[in-house]
Amino acid sequence: MHGQTSCGSLLQKLQLVWDEVGESDEDRDKVLFQLDQECLDVYKRKVDQALKSRDLLLQALDYSKMELARLASALGEKSIATSPEKTARTIKQQLAALAPTLEQLGKQKKERINKFADIMSRIEQIRGEIAGNLEIGQQVAIPQINEDDLTDEKLRDFQSQLQELEKKKRERLKKVLEHVSTVQDLCSVLKMEHFSIITEVHESLDDSVGKDHKSISNDTLSKLDRTIATLNEDKTLRLKKLQELATQLNDLWDLMDTPTEERSLFDHVTCNRTASAEEVTAPGALALDIINQAEVEVQRLDELKYSKMKEIAFKKQTTLEDIYASAHIVIDTAAAHDKIFALIESGSMEPTELIADMDSQILKAKEEALSRKEILDKVERWISACEEESWLEDYNRDDNRYNSGRGAHLNLKRAEKARIQVNKIPGLVETLVAKTTAWEENHGLSFTYDGVPLLAMLDEYVMLRQEKEEEKRKMRLQ
Protein backbone atom coordinates (compact mmCIF):
# COMPACT_ATOMS: atom_id res chain seq x y z
CA MET A 1 0.00 0.00 0.00
CA HIS A 2 1.23 3.55 -0.78
CA GLY A 3 3.11 5.15 2.10
CA GLN A 4 3.61 1.83 3.90
CA THR A 5 6.70 -0.46 4.05
CA SER A 6 6.20 -3.80 2.30
CA CYS A 7 7.79 -7.14 3.13
CA GLY A 8 9.77 -7.04 -0.16
CA SER A 9 11.37 -3.61 0.54
CA LEU A 10 12.27 -4.72 3.99
CA LEU A 11 13.86 -7.88 2.59
CA GLN A 12 15.89 -5.74 0.12
CA LYS A 13 17.00 -3.49 2.94
CA LEU A 14 17.97 -6.58 4.97
CA GLN A 15 20.04 -7.82 1.98
CA LEU A 16 21.88 -4.50 1.79
CA VAL A 17 22.68 -4.64 5.48
CA TRP A 18 23.90 -8.22 5.15
CA ASP A 19 26.08 -7.20 2.17
CA GLU A 20 27.64 -4.38 4.18
CA VAL A 21 28.20 -6.65 7.16
CA GLY A 22 29.36 -9.62 5.07
CA GLU A 23 26.95 -12.26 6.38
CA SER A 24 27.52 -15.73 5.01
CA ASP A 25 24.94 -17.46 2.89
CA GLU A 26 24.43 -20.08 5.56
CA ASP A 27 23.56 -17.45 8.15
CA ARG A 28 21.40 -15.67 5.68
CA ASP A 29 19.51 -18.94 4.91
CA LYS A 30 18.97 -19.55 8.59
CA VAL A 31 17.45 -16.08 9.07
CA LEU A 32 15.25 -16.42 6.01
CA PHE A 33 14.06 -19.86 7.17
CA GLN A 34 13.29 -18.41 10.57
CA LEU A 35 11.32 -15.59 8.91
CA ASP A 36 9.35 -18.12 6.85
CA GLN A 37 8.52 -20.08 10.02
CA GLU A 38 7.43 -16.98 11.86
CA CYS A 39 5.22 -15.92 8.93
CA LEU A 40 3.74 -19.39 8.79
CA ASP A 41 2.95 -19.27 12.46
CA VAL A 42 1.22 -15.92 12.03
CA TYR A 43 -0.90 -17.28 9.19
CA LYS A 44 -1.76 -20.36 11.17
CA ARG A 45 -2.92 -18.23 14.08
CA LYS A 46 -4.99 -16.08 11.78
CA VAL A 47 -6.52 -19.15 10.17
CA ASP A 48 -7.33 -20.61 13.57
CA GLN A 49 -8.91 -17.36 14.65
CA ALA A 50 -10.93 -17.24 11.42
CA LEU A 51 -12.10 -20.83 11.93
CA LYS A 52 -13.11 -20.11 15.50
CA SER A 53 -14.96 -17.00 14.40
CA ARG A 54 -16.72 -18.98 11.69
CA ASP A 55 -17.68 -21.71 14.21
CA LEU A 56 -19.08 -19.11 16.57
CA LEU A 57 -21.08 -17.57 13.76
CA LEU A 58 -22.37 -21.03 12.78
CA GLN A 59 -23.34 -21.70 16.39
CA ALA A 60 -25.08 -18.34 16.51
CA LEU A 61 -26.82 -19.19 13.26
CA ASP A 62 -27.93 -22.59 14.60
CA TYR A 63 -29.10 -20.97 17.84
CA SER A 64 -30.98 -18.32 15.91
CA LYS A 65 -32.64 -21.00 13.79
CA MET A 66 -33.61 -23.01 16.89
CA GLU A 67 -34.80 -19.88 18.70
CA LEU A 68 -36.86 -18.92 15.66
CA ALA A 69 -38.41 -22.37 15.52
CA ARG A 70 -39.03 -22.38 19.29
CA LEU A 71 -40.63 -18.93 19.27
CA ALA A 72 -42.78 -19.78 16.27
CA SER A 73 -43.87 -23.02 17.96
CA ALA A 74 -44.53 -21.34 21.33
CA LEU A 75 -46.53 -18.54 19.72
CA GLY A 76 -48.24 -20.85 17.26
CA GLU A 77 -47.18 -18.62 14.38
CA LYS A 78 -47.29 -21.10 11.51
CA SER A 79 -47.39 -18.33 8.91
CA ILE A 80 -43.91 -17.04 9.81
CA ALA A 81 -41.09 -18.40 7.55
CA THR A 82 -38.78 -20.44 9.72
CA SER A 83 -35.88 -20.33 7.13
CA PRO A 84 -35.62 -16.74 5.86
CA GLU A 85 -31.79 -17.18 5.71
CA LYS A 86 -31.87 -19.61 2.81
CA THR A 87 -31.91 -16.77 0.32
CA ALA A 88 -28.61 -15.43 1.72
CA ARG A 89 -25.11 -16.78 0.80
CA THR A 90 -22.77 -15.90 3.68
CA ILE A 91 -23.20 -16.75 7.37
CA LYS A 92 -23.41 -13.10 8.38
CA GLN A 93 -26.02 -12.51 5.71
CA GLN A 94 -28.00 -15.44 7.04
CA LEU A 95 -27.78 -14.06 10.60
CA ALA A 96 -28.79 -10.64 9.36
CA ALA A 97 -31.78 -12.20 7.55
CA LEU A 98 -32.91 -13.95 10.77
CA ALA A 99 -32.51 -10.94 13.08
CA PRO A 100 -35.72 -8.98 12.15
CA THR A 101 -37.90 -12.06 12.49
CA LEU A 102 -36.33 -12.96 15.82
CA GLU A 103 -36.81 -9.41 17.07
CA GLN A 104 -40.47 -9.41 15.97
CA LEU A 105 -41.17 -12.78 17.61
CA GLY A 106 -39.34 -11.66 20.75
CA LYS A 107 -41.62 -8.65 21.08
CA GLN A 108 -44.66 -10.87 20.47
CA LYS A 109 -43.45 -13.25 23.14
CA LYS A 110 -43.09 -10.47 25.73
CA GLU A 111 -46.56 -9.15 24.88
CA ARG A 112 -48.04 -12.65 25.05
CA ILE A 113 -46.29 -13.35 28.37
CA ASN A 114 -47.76 -10.13 29.78
CA LYS A 115 -51.23 -11.18 28.62
CA PHE A 116 -50.82 -14.64 30.13
CA ALA A 117 -49.50 -13.14 33.36
CA ASP A 118 -52.46 -10.75 33.61
CA ILE A 119 -55.11 -13.39 32.88
CA MET A 120 -53.51 -16.07 35.06
CA SER A 121 -53.10 -13.58 37.93
CA ARG A 122 -56.78 -12.69 37.72
CA ILE A 123 -57.67 -16.39 37.63
CA GLU A 124 -55.59 -17.10 40.72
CA GLN A 125 -56.99 -13.97 42.38
CA ILE A 126 -60.60 -15.13 41.95
CA ARG A 127 -59.73 -18.69 42.97
CA GLY A 128 -58.06 -17.36 46.08
CA GLU A 129 -61.11 -15.19 46.88
CA ILE A 130 -63.43 -18.19 46.48
CA ALA A 131 -61.17 -20.44 48.55
CA GLY A 132 -60.72 -17.71 51.15
CA ASN A 133 -56.94 -17.83 50.96
CA LEU A 134 -56.55 -14.09 50.30
CA GLU A 135 -57.02 -11.18 52.63
CA ILE A 136 -59.11 -8.26 51.41
CA GLY A 137 -56.96 -6.20 49.01
CA GLN A 138 -54.17 -8.79 48.89
CA GLN A 139 -52.72 -9.47 45.43
CA VAL A 140 -51.52 -12.87 44.29
CA ALA A 141 -47.92 -13.48 43.23
CA ILE A 142 -47.14 -13.53 39.51
CA PRO A 143 -47.79 -17.12 38.44
CA GLN A 144 -45.24 -19.35 36.71
CA ILE A 145 -45.84 -19.20 32.96
CA ASN A 146 -44.99 -22.00 30.54
CA GLU A 147 -43.11 -20.05 27.86
CA ASP A 148 -43.12 -23.06 25.54
CA ASP A 149 -46.88 -22.77 25.05
CA LEU A 150 -48.01 -19.20 24.40
CA THR A 151 -50.41 -19.97 21.56
CA ASP A 152 -53.70 -18.18 20.92
CA GLU A 153 -55.49 -21.44 21.67
CA LYS A 154 -53.89 -21.63 25.12
CA LEU A 155 -54.67 -17.94 25.68
CA ARG A 156 -58.31 -18.49 24.72
CA ASP A 157 -58.44 -21.44 27.12
CA PHE A 158 -57.27 -19.22 29.99
CA GLN A 159 -59.66 -16.47 28.89
CA SER A 160 -62.51 -19.00 28.95
CA GLN A 161 -61.47 -20.07 32.47
CA LEU A 162 -61.36 -16.42 33.54
CA GLN A 163 -64.83 -15.75 32.12
CA GLU A 164 -66.25 -18.76 33.97
CA LEU A 165 -64.60 -17.66 37.20
CA GLU A 166 -65.78 -14.06 36.76
CA LYS A 167 -69.31 -15.35 36.19
CA LYS A 168 -68.99 -17.52 39.29
CA LYS A 169 -67.67 -14.52 41.21
CA ARG A 170 -70.64 -12.37 40.10
CA GLU A 171 -73.07 -15.12 41.13
CA ARG A 172 -71.36 -15.53 44.49
CA LEU A 173 -71.29 -11.77 45.05
CA LYS A 174 -74.99 -11.59 44.21
CA LYS A 175 -75.68 -14.44 46.61
CA VAL A 176 -73.60 -12.80 49.35
CA LEU A 177 -75.43 -9.49 48.91
CA GLU A 178 -78.80 -11.29 48.95
CA HIS A 179 -77.80 -13.10 52.14
CA VAL A 180 -76.65 -9.84 53.72
CA SER A 181 -79.98 -8.23 52.76
CA THR A 182 -81.85 -11.22 54.23
CA VAL A 183 -79.90 -10.90 57.48
CA GLN A 184 -80.71 -7.18 57.61
CA ASP A 185 -84.43 -7.86 57.02
CA LEU A 186 -84.52 -10.56 59.70
CA CYS A 187 -82.67 -8.32 62.15
CA SER A 188 -85.15 -5.54 61.35
CA VAL A 189 -88.12 -7.81 62.12
CA LEU A 190 -86.45 -9.10 65.29
CA LYS A 191 -85.20 -5.60 66.19
CA MET A 192 -81.59 -6.75 66.45
CA GLU A 193 -78.37 -4.87 65.57
CA HIS A 194 -77.35 -6.32 62.22
CA PHE A 195 -73.91 -4.64 62.03
CA SER A 196 -72.27 -6.81 64.67
CA ILE A 197 -73.91 -9.98 63.27
CA ILE A 198 -72.78 -9.24 59.70
CA THR A 199 -69.24 -8.22 60.61
CA GLU A 200 -68.91 -11.30 62.81
CA VAL A 201 -69.38 -13.36 59.64
CA HIS A 202 -66.77 -11.26 57.81
CA GLU A 203 -65.62 -7.68 58.28
CA SER A 204 -65.92 -6.95 54.54
CA LEU A 205 -69.72 -7.38 54.64
CA ASP A 206 -70.14 -3.96 56.22
CA ASP A 207 -72.05 -1.44 54.08
CA SER A 208 -69.03 0.87 54.02
CA VAL A 209 -66.98 -1.69 52.06
CA GLY A 210 -67.40 -1.63 48.28
CA LYS A 211 -68.81 -4.56 46.32
CA ASP A 212 -65.45 -5.37 44.74
CA HIS A 213 -63.95 -6.00 48.16
CA LYS A 214 -66.71 -8.20 49.61
CA SER A 215 -65.70 -11.67 50.73
CA ILE A 216 -67.19 -14.38 48.49
CA SER A 217 -65.38 -17.35 50.01
CA ASN A 218 -66.95 -20.70 50.76
CA ASP A 219 -66.50 -20.04 54.47
CA THR A 220 -68.31 -16.68 54.25
CA LEU A 221 -71.27 -18.19 52.37
CA SER A 222 -71.42 -21.09 54.82
CA LYS A 223 -71.42 -18.72 57.81
CA LEU A 224 -74.12 -16.58 56.19
CA ASP A 225 -76.27 -19.68 55.64
CA ARG A 226 -75.87 -20.66 59.30
CA THR A 227 -76.59 -17.10 60.45
CA ILE A 228 -79.78 -16.92 58.38
CA ALA A 229 -80.88 -20.34 59.65
CA THR A 230 -80.33 -19.21 63.26
CA LEU A 231 -82.22 -15.95 62.71
CA ASN A 232 -85.09 -17.78 61.00
CA GLU A 233 -85.26 -20.19 63.92
CA ASP A 234 -85.38 -17.26 66.35
CA LYS A 235 -88.05 -15.65 64.17
CA THR A 236 -90.16 -18.82 64.18
CA LEU A 237 -89.85 -19.25 67.96
CA ARG A 238 -90.69 -15.61 68.64
CA LEU A 239 -93.66 -15.71 66.27
CA LYS A 240 -94.95 -18.87 67.93
CA LYS A 241 -94.59 -17.24 71.35
CA LEU A 242 -96.29 -14.03 70.17
CA GLN A 243 -99.15 -15.99 68.56
CA GLU A 244 -99.68 -17.92 71.80
CA LEU A 245 -99.82 -14.65 73.72
CA ALA A 246 -102.18 -13.13 71.11
CA THR A 247 -104.50 -16.13 71.45
CA GLN A 248 -104.46 -15.80 75.24
CA LEU A 249 -105.20 -12.09 74.94
CA ASN A 250 -108.17 -12.73 72.64
CA ASP A 251 -109.51 -15.41 74.97
CA LEU A 252 -109.18 -13.11 77.98
CA TRP A 253 -110.72 -10.18 76.09
CA ASP A 254 -113.66 -12.32 75.00
CA LEU A 255 -113.95 -13.66 78.53
CA MET A 256 -114.15 -10.20 80.04
CA ASP A 257 -115.91 -8.47 77.11
CA THR A 258 -113.03 -6.03 76.73
CA PRO A 259 -114.04 -3.03 74.58
CA THR A 260 -112.62 -2.62 71.09
CA GLU A 261 -110.76 0.57 72.03
CA GLU A 262 -108.75 -1.27 74.67
CA ARG A 263 -108.07 -4.22 72.36
CA SER A 264 -106.80 -1.92 69.60
CA LEU A 265 -103.84 -0.97 71.82
CA PHE A 266 -102.45 -4.43 71.09
CA ASP A 267 -103.16 -4.59 67.36
CA HIS A 268 -99.41 -4.86 66.77
CA VAL A 269 -99.50 -8.12 68.75
CA THR A 270 -102.69 -9.67 67.38
CA CYS A 271 -102.18 -8.68 63.73
CA ASN A 272 -99.84 -11.66 63.22
CA ARG A 273 -101.93 -14.19 65.15
CA THR A 274 -102.52 -16.38 62.07
CA ALA A 275 -99.58 -15.27 59.92
CA SER A 276 -96.77 -17.56 58.80
CA ALA A 277 -93.13 -16.69 59.47
CA GLU A 278 -92.65 -15.66 55.82
CA GLU A 279 -95.57 -13.22 56.02
CA VAL A 280 -94.16 -11.29 59.02
CA THR A 281 -91.91 -8.58 57.52
CA ALA A 282 -92.75 -5.37 59.40
CA PRO A 283 -89.76 -3.79 61.21
CA GLY A 284 -89.76 -4.64 64.91
CA ALA A 285 -92.80 -6.93 64.57
CA LEU A 286 -91.11 -9.65 66.65
CA ALA A 287 -89.04 -7.47 68.97
CA LEU A 288 -88.43 -8.82 72.47
CA ASP A 289 -90.00 -5.74 74.07
CA ILE A 290 -93.27 -6.43 72.19
CA ILE A 291 -93.28 -10.02 73.45
CA ASN A 292 -92.54 -8.81 76.98
CA GLN A 293 -95.32 -6.22 76.69
CA ALA A 294 -97.78 -8.94 75.62
CA GLU A 295 -96.66 -11.21 78.48
CA VAL A 296 -97.22 -8.42 81.02
CA GLU A 297 -100.70 -7.74 79.60
CA VAL A 298 -101.65 -11.43 79.67
CA GLN A 299 -100.50 -11.65 83.28
CA ARG A 300 -102.48 -8.52 84.19
CA LEU A 301 -105.66 -9.78 82.52
CA ASP A 302 -105.18 -13.23 84.03
CA GLU A 303 -105.13 -11.68 87.49
CA LEU A 304 -108.06 -9.43 86.62
CA LYS A 305 -110.27 -12.23 85.34
CA TYR A 306 -110.77 -13.67 88.84
CA SER A 307 -112.17 -10.39 90.12
CA LYS A 308 -114.52 -10.11 87.11
CA MET A 309 -115.48 -13.76 87.00
CA LYS A 310 -118.75 -13.39 88.91
CA GLU A 311 -119.86 -10.49 86.73
CA ILE A 312 -119.00 -12.36 83.53
CA ALA A 313 -120.49 -15.66 84.66
CA PHE A 314 -123.80 -14.13 85.79
CA LYS A 315 -123.95 -12.08 82.59
CA LYS A 316 -123.64 -15.26 80.56
CA GLN A 317 -126.22 -16.92 82.82
CA THR A 318 -128.60 -14.05 82.02
CA THR A 319 -127.99 -14.64 78.31
CA LEU A 320 -128.74 -18.34 78.82
CA GLU A 321 -131.94 -17.56 80.71
CA ASP A 322 -133.06 -15.14 77.97
CA ILE A 323 -132.58 -17.86 75.33
CA TYR A 324 -134.61 -20.35 77.36
CA ALA A 325 -137.28 -17.74 78.09
CA SER A 326 -137.63 -16.88 74.40
CA ALA A 327 -137.94 -20.61 73.72
CA HIS A 328 -140.56 -20.94 76.54
CA ILE A 329 -138.36 -23.43 78.43
CA VAL A 330 -138.57 -23.27 82.23
CA ILE A 331 -135.28 -23.66 84.15
CA ASP A 332 -134.37 -23.35 87.82
CA THR A 333 -132.58 -19.99 87.73
CA ALA A 334 -132.01 -19.84 91.49
CA ALA A 335 -130.24 -23.21 91.53
CA ALA A 336 -128.11 -22.17 88.50
CA HIS A 337 -127.05 -18.95 90.26
CA ASP A 338 -126.17 -20.85 93.44
CA LYS A 339 -124.08 -23.36 91.46
CA ILE A 340 -122.12 -20.63 89.69
CA PHE A 341 -121.48 -18.80 92.95
CA ALA A 342 -120.29 -21.99 94.65
CA LEU A 343 -117.92 -22.89 91.78
CA ILE A 344 -116.33 -19.43 91.79
CA GLU A 345 -115.94 -19.28 95.55
CA SER A 346 -114.51 -22.78 95.86
CA GLY A 347 -112.07 -22.34 93.00
CA SER A 348 -112.67 -25.96 91.99
CA MET A 349 -113.00 -24.90 88.34
CA GLU A 350 -110.76 -22.63 86.36
CA PRO A 351 -112.52 -19.43 85.27
CA THR A 352 -111.80 -20.18 81.64
CA GLU A 353 -113.28 -23.68 82.06
CA LEU A 354 -116.37 -22.25 83.73
CA ILE A 355 -116.91 -19.69 80.97
CA ALA A 356 -116.24 -22.32 78.32
CA ASP A 357 -118.83 -24.57 80.00
CA MET A 358 -121.36 -21.73 80.04
CA ASP A 359 -120.60 -20.92 76.41
CA SER A 360 -121.25 -24.56 75.65
CA GLN A 361 -124.59 -24.37 77.52
CA ILE A 362 -125.50 -21.22 75.57
CA LEU A 363 -124.66 -22.91 72.28
CA LYS A 364 -126.70 -25.95 73.28
CA ALA A 365 -129.61 -23.72 74.32
CA LYS A 366 -129.49 -21.91 70.97
CA GLU A 367 -129.55 -25.22 69.14
CA GLU A 368 -132.50 -26.40 71.23
CA ALA A 369 -134.34 -23.13 70.68
CA LEU A 370 -133.72 -23.43 66.95
CA SER A 371 -135.14 -26.96 66.92
CA ARG A 372 -138.29 -25.68 68.72
CA LYS A 373 -138.72 -22.57 66.58
CA GLU A 374 -141.09 -24.03 63.98
CA ILE A 375 -143.38 -25.52 66.63
CA LEU A 376 -143.24 -22.35 68.77
CA ASP A 377 -144.22 -20.20 65.77
CA LYS A 378 -147.27 -22.39 65.26
CA VAL A 379 -148.01 -22.31 69.02
CA GLU A 380 -147.97 -18.51 68.91
CA ARG A 381 -150.41 -18.60 65.97
CA TRP A 382 -152.58 -21.08 67.86
CA ILE A 383 -152.58 -18.95 71.05
CA SER A 384 -153.38 -15.86 68.98
CA ALA A 385 -156.21 -17.72 67.26
CA CYS A 386 -157.53 -18.88 70.66
CA GLU A 387 -157.52 -15.30 71.91
CA GLU A 388 -159.46 -14.26 68.81
CA GLU A 389 -161.83 -17.19 69.39
CA SER A 390 -162.46 -16.04 72.98
CA TRP A 391 -163.05 -12.47 71.80
CA LEU A 392 -165.42 -13.72 69.07
CA GLU A 393 -167.44 -15.67 71.64
CA ASP A 394 -167.81 -12.55 73.78
CA TYR A 395 -168.67 -10.56 70.66
CA ASN A 396 -171.34 -13.08 69.62
CA ARG A 397 -172.93 -12.93 73.09
CA ASP A 398 -173.22 -9.15 72.86
CA ASP A 399 -176.81 -8.32 71.78
CA ASN A 400 -175.80 -4.77 70.83
CA ARG A 401 -173.04 -5.78 68.47
CA TYR A 402 -174.98 -4.58 65.40
CA ASN A 403 -175.85 -1.17 66.81
CA SER A 404 -174.27 1.68 64.91
CA GLY A 405 -172.30 2.87 67.87
CA ARG A 406 -168.77 4.19 67.91
CA GLY A 407 -166.30 1.53 66.67
CA ALA A 408 -169.00 -0.96 65.65
CA HIS A 409 -167.67 -1.21 62.11
CA LEU A 410 -164.16 -1.96 63.42
CA ASN A 411 -165.48 -4.77 65.62
CA LEU A 412 -167.37 -6.13 62.65
CA LYS A 413 -164.18 -6.29 60.57
CA ARG A 414 -162.30 -7.93 63.45
CA ALA A 415 -165.08 -10.47 63.87
CA GLU A 416 -164.79 -11.40 60.18
CA LYS A 417 -161.05 -11.91 60.49
CA ALA A 418 -161.49 -13.78 63.77
CA ARG A 419 -163.92 -16.25 62.18
CA ILE A 420 -161.34 -16.99 59.46
CA GLN A 421 -158.66 -17.62 62.11
CA VAL A 422 -160.97 -19.74 64.25
CA ASN A 423 -161.88 -21.92 61.31
CA LYS A 424 -158.16 -22.65 60.83
CA ILE A 425 -157.65 -23.74 64.44
CA PRO A 426 -158.57 -27.45 63.97
CA GLY A 427 -156.04 -27.82 61.13
CA LEU A 428 -153.44 -25.88 63.09
CA VAL A 429 -153.96 -28.04 66.17
CA GLU A 430 -153.72 -31.19 64.11
CA THR A 431 -150.44 -29.98 62.54
CA LEU A 432 -149.09 -29.02 65.98
CA VAL A 433 -149.90 -32.46 67.40
CA ALA A 434 -148.13 -34.20 64.49
CA LYS A 435 -145.02 -32.00 64.63
CA THR A 436 -144.80 -32.12 68.44
CA THR A 437 -145.11 -35.89 68.41
CA ALA A 438 -142.36 -36.16 65.80
CA TRP A 439 -140.13 -33.76 67.79
CA GLU A 440 -140.58 -35.79 71.00
CA GLU A 441 -139.77 -39.03 69.20
CA ASN A 442 -136.69 -37.49 67.66
CA HIS A 443 -135.37 -35.91 70.89
CA GLY A 444 -136.60 -38.53 73.37
CA LEU A 445 -138.20 -36.02 75.73
CA SER A 446 -141.45 -34.13 76.24
CA PHE A 447 -142.01 -30.82 74.45
CA THR A 448 -143.04 -28.31 77.12
CA TYR A 449 -144.33 -24.79 76.78
CA ASP A 450 -143.58 -22.67 79.85
CA GLY A 451 -143.21 -25.91 81.83
CA VAL A 452 -146.45 -27.54 80.56
CA PRO A 453 -146.38 -30.45 78.08
CA LEU A 454 -147.65 -29.05 74.79
CA LEU A 455 -149.52 -32.21 73.78
CA ALA A 456 -151.44 -32.05 77.10
CA MET A 457 -152.31 -28.42 76.39
CA LEU A 458 -153.53 -29.35 72.91
CA ASP A 459 -155.56 -32.31 74.22
CA GLU A 460 -157.15 -30.10 76.86
CA TYR A 461 -157.99 -27.48 74.23
CA VAL A 462 -159.53 -30.12 71.93
CA MET A 463 -161.68 -31.40 74.82
CA LEU A 464 -162.78 -27.89 75.80
CA ARG A 465 -163.56 -27.06 72.18
CA GLN A 466 -165.64 -30.24 71.87
CA GLU A 467 -167.52 -29.30 75.06
CA LYS A 468 -168.21 -25.82 73.70
CA GLU A 469 -169.40 -27.23 70.41
CA GLU A 470 -171.72 -29.57 72.31
CA GLU A 471 -173.11 -26.68 74.36
CA LYS A 472 -173.66 -24.63 71.21
CA ARG A 473 -175.46 -27.55 69.60
CA LYS A 474 -177.74 -27.93 72.65
CA MET A 475 -178.46 -24.21 72.70
CA ARG A 476 -179.38 -24.26 69.02
CA LEU A 477 -181.76 -27.20 69.68
CA GLN A 478 -183.36 -25.31 72.53
Side-chain angles (χ1 to χ4, degrees), residues 3-43:
Q4 292 183 350
T5 303
S6 65
C7 291
S9 63
L10 289 173
L11 182 59
Q12 288 176 358
K13 190 174 183 180
L14 181 61
Q15 290 286 353
L16 291 174
V17 173
W18 281 343
D19 289 339
E20 290 178 7
V21 173
E23 288 288 340
S24 63
D25 291 339
E26 185 179 353
D27 290 335
R28 290 182 181 190
D29 288 340
K30 287 181 181 179
V31 172
L32 290 174
F33 180 77
Q34 186 180 358
L35 285 173
D36 287 339
Q37 288 296 322
E38 289 178 0
C39 286
L40 184 62
D41 290 339
V42 171
Y43 276 110

Side-chain angles (χ1 to χ4, degrees), residues 266-369:
F266 288 87
D267 285 345
H268 59 290
V269 175
T270 58
C271 64
N272 294 317
R273 191 158 62 96
T274 59
S276 63
E278 293 76 13
E279 294 171 337
V280 181
T281 56
L286 300 178
L288 286 176
D289 54 351
I290 291 179
I291 295 176
N292 293 335
Q293 181 187 8
E295 286 178 337
V296 170
E297 182 65 10
V298 167
Q299 184 178 0
R300 185 185 73 82
L301 293 175
D302 198 49
E303 294 172 355
L304 184 63
K305 72 181 179 182
Y306 286 95
S307 62
K308 285 195 171 185
M309 192 48 55
K310 289 182 182 178
E311 177 187 345
I312 297 170
F314 285 118
K315 187 175 180 180
K316 288 189 177 293
Q317 179 61 28
T318 301
T319 301
L320 183 65
E321 291 171 2
D322 291 342
I323 294 171
Y324 279 129
S326 64
H328 295 276
I329 299 174
V330 178
I331 59 172
D332 190 345
T333 57
H337 283 235
D338 292 341
K339 180 181 178 182
I340 292 171
F341 186 80
L343 285 172
I344 294 174
E345 290 297 319
S346 65
S348 59
M349 181 180 285
E350 277 291 319
T352 53
E353 294 179 4
L354 175 60
I355 299 305
D357 179 65
M358 297 195 70
D359 286 337
S360 177
Q361 292 181 45
I362 291 172
L363 181 62
K364 185 179 178 181
K366 288 180 178 179
E367 292 175 352
E368 187 175 355

Side-chain angles (χ1 to χ4, degrees), residues 80-92:
I80 294 178
T82 57
S83 301
E85 80 287 355
K86 289 184 178 180
T87 59
R89 288 177 292 179
T90 66
I91 297 174
K92 289 185 176 180

Side-chain angles (χ1 to χ4, degrees), residues 22-146:
E23 288 288 340
S24 63
D25 291 339
E26 185 179 353
D27 290 335
R28 290 182 181 190
D29 288 340
K30 287 181 181 179
V31 172
L32 290 174
F33 180 77
Q34 186 180 358
L35 285 173
D36 287 339
Q37 288 296 322
E38 289 178 0
C39 286
L40 184 62
D41 290 339
V42 171
Y43 276 110
K44 284 182 178 180
R45 286 197 301 272
K46 291 299 181 180
V47 170
D48 290 339
Q49 289 177 0
L51 288 172
K52 287 180 180 179
S53 178
R54 184 199 64 181
D55 291 340
L56 290 173
L57 287 173
L58 286 173
Q59 289 179 5
L61 180 61
D62 290 339
Y63 175 78
S64 296
K65 289 179 180 180
M66 288 188 296
E67 183 68 11
L68 179 63
R70 189 176 68 81
L71 288 172
S73 175
L75 296 171
E77 297 290 349
K78 297 179 181 179
S79 61
I80 294 178
T82 57
S83 301
E85 80 287 355
K86 289 184 178 180
T87 59
R89 288 177 292 179
T90 66
I91 297 174
K92 289 185 176 180
Q93 287 175 340
Q94 293 180 44
L95 283 171
L98 289 172
T101 306
L102 284 172
E103 185 179 0
Q104 176 190 352
L105 292 179
K107 289 181 179 179
Q108 282 186 249
K109 179 182 177 181
K110 288 182 180 179
E111 293 174 357
R112 193 68 58 86
I113 286 174
N114 290 334
K115 286 184 180 179
F116 270 82
D118 178 58
I119 292 175
M120 292 173 67
S121 297
R122 289 161 65 187
I123 288 174
E124 292 303 317
Q125 185 79 25
I126 295 175
R127 284 176 176 170
E129 291 175 1
I130 292 174
N133 299 329
L134 296 177
E135 298 294 333
I136 299 301
Q138 180 183 354
Q139 297 296 320
V140 296
I142 298 176
Q144 189 69 31
I145 299 171
N146 180 14

Side-chain angles (χ1 to χ4, degrees), residues 456-471:
M457 292 172 62
L458 293 170
D459 289 341
E460 183 180 359
Y461 172 77
V462 170
M463 291 177 61
L464 288 173
R465 186 179 178 85
Q466 287 176 352
E467 290 176 0
K468 288 180 180 179
E469 291 294 332
E470 185 64 25
E471 288 179 4

